[in-house]
Amino acid sequence: MDENRQTGSQNPGENQTFEQLTQDEKRKLIAALSMGRLSEDEKRELADAVRRSHLTDAERTQISRAFAMSRLSDEERRALLARRQQEKTGVVSSANGNAAAVQTNKPAEPAKEQELPPTAAVHDSEEERTRAHTVIGDETPGQGMTAGVRTQTEGEMLTRSVTLPVKKPSGGQHSGGTSRTADKQNRRYAGEPRETDTTAITSLLKGIVYIVAVLVISVFASWTVIEVANDVFAFVKSDEAVTVVIEEDMTSADVAQLLYTNGIIKYPTMYELFVRLKEESTDYLVGEYEISPSMNYGDLNDTFTYVANTKEQVVVTVPEGYTVDQIINLLLKNGIGTREGFVAAINDYEYTGYRFLEGLDDLDPQRTYRLEGYLFPDTYFFFKDSSEVAVIDKFLVNFERKVSEEYYERAEVLGMSMDDLIILASMIQAEGMTLTDFENISSVFHNRLANPRSFPKMQSDATLQYILDKRKSALTAADLQIDSRYNSYMYNGLPPGSICNPGMDAINCALYPAETNYYYFLADGKGNTYFSETNEQHEELKKIHIDSQ
């Protein structure tokens, strides 16, 4: 069970602010934070909620203290609380190592005169003794957990350690008084510490606690200052490049959050304060930027606002199912690169560091484009003066981010290489219109691949359309006789390469097809796809939806 749930704390939701919580929820949440019961993710969630809130000074102080407490280990936290309790409840160590503390809310009952201990406090009058009472402060998490013990009287209450002469009247009656000298001697004989000794020990303990508290606060303050300064000025930070996108109408708060989310800065509130105090420009320029944590706050803000150093960028959106030729035409239309440069970058340049390219060394000579299928469809920001290799590499970086280890493991279970998987996904993308189509079309291809004796050929129109100069609404008998490995009516199995660049839906459906007994499908050209288990059913559907038109 989540420890946070056991404590009953209520962390704000993704869009909830701290100020929207009730007072009781705030108190419980701060208490759980102080005692170290929140996970790191819950702390970050709370920190985000606090940054979106308008808090009072008291609430900010409470939360700051709670975060400081949460960084301590359980042993350090218990030790710190014990020292605070010792100071504030009046604990005094006795000579034999035992602690005595005043912890009562009731008026002290007057002891019998013959039973008064040597250090007992005696009030001047019965009335004052009756009026004296002890008040113990309430322990409230988030307010320093203050707990104090104080003794009050309604009038002036004289409290003093007294030693009166001890006299025994005739008849053995106690006189009610004791001698100061006898009292001191009695204490010595009883092995009790002198009053001055007890006071000295108490003062020493308080001094030690004070020094420790000062040292702890100083260390924490110094650490905080160093951390914040390192974040602002980037003294010792990683230089790993990160790509971020500045969108239209972003504010300094939006940019700060963007930098925090991408691990560039640790303190977004401090970034906002820096921009405000330094009167930095907040006219952020829309575009994609490559930055790193090693850049200080000023350099980061300048990168997003400085027009003189900003290259001209264009936004290019590549639809799912676009072929390499279509993507090249789209890039050329936006003034990026040349056709010859892109063809060379796609077929000849050796890109390193990509796992999915490791199996592309020995390709079928009839494969049209080596990287067909790997130019992931998405929205990109390109500089107009970018090289063709840099542009293609950006596509590959995006593909690498999308395809996780799970995809490789699943492909291995299916007995397929990553390239086979992408080829199949491209066929699904080109043949289908909807997600349901993708799932069922995938099942048809998987069923045929699993039963090559009965269904050796994929018989996909899309693979043959890929090599035609112009896409046709319907293939002719002459088209079916084209001698090409992309003609899946003539050659067995998968084509030699992908026939488009598929999106994530098609890739996922290639990995996880619907469970069917379908071996045939038919598209009517109107956006409808029909599936059959037998050739007889397939031919009947053709008569209804194709031949009758």
Side-chain angles (χ1 to χ4, degrees):
M1 182 179 288
D2 193 331
E3 186 179 2
N4 186 43
R5 295 186 182 274
Q6 290 178 333
T7 60
S9 65
Q10 181 63 49
N11 230 15
E14 182 178 348
N15 296 318
Q16 191 177 13
T17 61
F18 185 83
E19 60 192 344
Q20 291 175 325
L21 300 178
T22 65
Q23 290 300 321
D24 186 61
E25 289 173 338
K26 290 179 181 178
R27 182 182 66 78
K28 289 181 179 180
L29 184 57
I30 294 176
L33 176 62
S34 299
M35 300 310 293
R37 293 172 182 167
L38 298 187
S39 66
E40 291 303 315
D41 288 341
E42 290 169 331
K43 288 182 186 180
R44 285 191 290 271
E45 182 180 345
L46 174 56
D48 291 341
V50 168
R51 280 189 291 272
R52 296 193 303 269
S53 304
H54 299 285
L55 306 179
T56 64
D57 291 340
E59 287 176 331
R60 290 190 182 279
T61 301
Q62 292 174 15
I63 294 171
S64 296
R65 289 176 177 172
F67 269 106
M69 288 287 289
S70 71
R71 296 187 183 96
L72 301 179
S73 65
D74 291 340
E75 183 178 353
E76 291 171 333
R77 192 179 295 107
R78 285 193 295 270
L80 182 58
L81 293 177
R83 288 197 296 271
R84 288 182 175 176
Q85 189 71 8
Q86 187 180 46
E87 284 186 86
K88 297 171 182 176
T89 57
V91 174
V92 179
S93 298
S94 63
N96 58 10
N98 296 325
V102 180
Q103 294 180 345
T104 178
N105 291 328
K106 300 178 181 179
E109 295 181 4
K112 295 180 181 179
E113 292 178 329
Q114 65 270 23
E115 297 176 351
L116 279 174
T119 58
V122 179
H123 298 289
D124 281 358
S125 66
E126 181 67 19
E127 179 182 1
E128 288 175 342
R129 205 161 44 237
T130 302
R131 288 199 301 262
H133 60 285
T134 302
V135 179
I136 301 179
D138 184 30
E139 186 174 13
T140 307
Q143 296 179 344
M145 287 184 267
T146 59
V149 178
R150 59 184 183 274
T151 302
Q152 300 182 151
T153 61
E154 294 176 2
E156 179 183 5
M157 182 175 69
L158 300 176
T159 304
R160 59 175 179 264
S161 295
V162 298
T163 52
L164 301 178
V166 177
K167 294 182 181 180
K168 288 189 177 182
S170 59
Q173 299 292 325
H174 197 284
S175 65
T178 60
S179 166
R180 283 188 173 87
T181 302
D183 180 50
K184 293 178 181 179
Q185 290 175 348
N186 289 339
R187 273 187 269 174
R188 292 195 198 102
Y189 296 149
E192 297 182 3
R194 296 183 182 180
E195 183 178 349
T196 54
D197 293 341
T198 302
T199 303
I201 293 173
T202 302
S203 299
L204 179 60
L205 288 174
K206 290 183 177 180
I208 292 173
V209 171
Y210 175 78
I211 292 172
V212 171
V214 170
L215 289 175
V216 170
I217 293 172
S218 299
V219 170
F220 176 73
S222 300
W223 175 82
T224 302
V225 170
I226 292 172
E227 279 286 297
V228 172
N230 185 49
D231 201 51
V232 174
F233 300 105
F235 293 131
V236 183
K237 295 178 71 176
S238 169
D239 58 358
E240 183 178 355
V242 177
T243 300
V244 298
V245 176
I246 299 297
E247 298 177 356
E248 192 173 359
D249 298 327
M250 268 192 166
T251 65
S252 60
D254 297 328
V255 171
Q257 192 60 39
L258 176 68
L259 296 175
Y260 172 75
T261 303
N262 284 274
I264 304 299
I265 64 174
K266 293 182 178 179
Y267 306 102
T269 302
M270 187 60 65
Y271 183 89
E272 290 183 66
L273 182 62
F274 175 88
V275 171
R276 189 179 303 116
L277 293 179
K278 296 284 289 183
E279 297 182 351
E280 296 276 343
S281 172
T282 56
D283 294 329
Y284 298 112
L285 303 173
V286 175
E288 185 178 72
Y289 299 87
E290 190 173 273
I291 55 178
S292 75
S294 62
M295 299 172 67
N296 61 46
Y297 283 8
D299 290 340
L300 289 170
N301 203 75
D302 288 346
T303 299
F304 306 140
T305 59
Y306 191 44
V307 178
N309 285 341
T310 302
K311 299 179 181 179
E312 185 178 0
Q313 291 193 46
V314 292
V315 182
V316 178
T317 298
V318 178
E320 296 178 350
Y322 257 37
T323 65
V324 161
D325 283 325
Q326 289 174 311
I327 293 175
I328 291 176
N329 290 337
L330 184 61
L331 294 170
L332 295 177
K333 183 179 178 181
N334 281 274
I336 306 171
T338 65
R339 179 173 296 279
E340 295 76 14
F342 281 122
V343 172
I346 291 169
N347 283 340
D348 302 326
Y349 189 84
E350 293 297 326
Y351 299 91
T352 59
Y354 298 112
R355 180 179 177 182
F356 57 88
L357 297 182
E358 293 175 0
L360 301 185
D361 297 329
D362 186 19
L363 298 178
D364 191 306
Q366 291 195 34
R367 185 165 177 144
T368 304
Y369 288 112
R370 180 171 64 109
L371 298 182
E372 183 81 83
Y374 298 100
L375 306 187
F376 192 83
D378 207 341
T379 296
Y380 295 89
F381 289 85
F382 294 115
F383 292 115
K384 277 197 169 184
D385 61 352
S386 294
S387 68
E388 291 86 353
V389 168
V391 170
I392 298 304
D393 189 61
K394 184 167 286 191
F395 281 104
L396 302 182
V397 167
N398 199 13
F399 184 93
E400 179 88 343
R401 289 173 181 162
K402 304 293 185 182
V403 179
S404 64
E405 178 65 25
E406 175 190 347
Y407 291 79
Y408 292 93
E409 293 174 355
R410 176 61 180 171
E412 186 175 352
V413 170
L414 295 173
M416 304 175 72
S417 67
M418 179 56 66
D419 195 47
D420 289 339
L421 175 69
I422 298 303
I423 291 173
L424 180 58
S426 72
M427 295 169 62
I428 295 169
Q429 181 79 61
E431 291 281 14
M433 297 288 290
T434 66
L435 184 58
T436 301
D437 286 349
F438 288 170
E439 293 173 338
N440 289 321
I441 290 171
S442 179
S443 75
V444 170
F445 290 142
H446 274 286
N447 289 341
R448 284 178 172 248
L449 289 171
N451 192 4
R453 179 171 296 181
S454 300
F455 299 93
K457 298 177 175 60
M458 296 296 101
Q459 294 183 321
S460 167
D461 288 2
T463 62
L464 190 50
Q465 293 272 15
Y466 178 71
I467 60 173
L468 298 179
D469 293 334
K470 186 176 181 181
R471 186 177 181 87
K472 298 180 179 181
S473 59
L475 296 175
T476 65
D479 294 330
L480 298 179
Q481 299 304 312
I482 296 175
D483 188 5
S484 168
R485 290 272 288 111
Y486 284 95
N487 186 349
S488 57
Y489 286 92
M490 180 177 293
Y491 287 88
N492 296 344
L494 297 173
S498 294
I499 59 173
C500 69
N501 292 275
M504 288 309 301
D505 285 341
I507 295 174
N508 286 325
C509 288
L511 288 169
Y512 301 97
E515 295 184 5
T516 73
N517 294 319
Y518 296 144
Y519 285 91
Y520 302 87
F521 66 88
L522 174 70
D524 64 1
K526 300 178 181 178
N528 302 310
T529 307
Y530 305 93
F531 298 87
S532 306
E533 295 182 8
T534 66
N535 187 55
E536 291 75 13
Q537 294 173 347
H538 180 65
E539 292 299 327
E540 186 65 28
L541 289 172
K542 283 177 65 176
K543 291 177 182 179
I544 297 173
H545 300 288
I546 303 297
D547 298 342
S548 63
Q549 294 182 7

